[in-house]
Amino acid sequence: MPHRILLCRTLHPAGMALLEARRDLDIVALHDPPVEQFHQHLSSADAVLCWLEKVDQAALDAAPRLRVVSRYGVGFDTVDIGGLHRARHPRHGHQRRQRPLGRRARDDADAGGRPPGARP
């Protein structure tokens, strides 16, 4: 059974062609979906690549198969990281991180935007 990948924006045609060429992936591409449509498609998604769509507790409740959450751009301000932990969803490849993402972000901010230990 192929892995279903939900894209909330289409990728560059070259990127879409790479994904669509893989037989182990089923790509569903939406564009700025309303919340109801987003949740409907999450119900069968193994992974989601979202932009401004909120991955909150309601979205996680609608996504029993979801294993990967990623965002276009930077930051995770629209993703409920605590909800991911509670639902035991892996976090974008950082499963071995010793500190929660939120704490690292605060540490970086306290260091003037630099990672702890980095030179000014």
Side-chain angles (χ1 to χ4, degrees):
M1 182 160 104
H3 299 287
R4 180 161 291 170
I5 312 297
L6 175 59
L7 305 175
C8 294
R9 299 282 183 285
T10 56
L11 300 176
H12 184 277
M16 289 298 293
L18 285 172
L19 292 176
E20 290 169 347
R22 293 191 47 177
R23 292 180 175 212
D24 62 332
L25 299 178
D26 176 22
I27 307 300
V28 176
L30 306 174
H31 183 77
D32 196 20
V35 173
E36 299 81 18
Q37 184 184 25
F38 178 54
H39 288 187
Q40 177 186 2
H41 285 280
L42 276 175
S43 67
S44 61
D46 296 296
V48 62
L49 178 55
C50 52
W51 185 39
L52 297 177
E53 295 75 21
K54 291 189 183 208
V55 182
D56 54 12
Q57 193 59 52
L60 294 173
D61 290 343
R65 292 175 40 176
L66 192 63
R67 296 292 173 259
V68 176
V69 175
S70 188
R71 286 205 56 231
Y72 293 94
V74 298
F76 286 90
D77 52 318
T78 60
V79 177
D80 180 0
I81 299 294
L84 291 173
H85 283 287
R86 288 187 298 277
R88 296 183 179 263
H89 292 297
R91 293 181 296 135
H92 48 277
H94 297 293
Q95 297 172 353
R96 299 187 132 200
R97 186 181 296 273
Q98 294 180 3
R99 296 183 292 174
L101 184 63
R103 181 174 173 191
R104 172 68 188 262
R106 286 191 299 274
D107 290 349
D108 288 352
D110 290 344
R114 295 180 308 277
R119 294 185 208 185

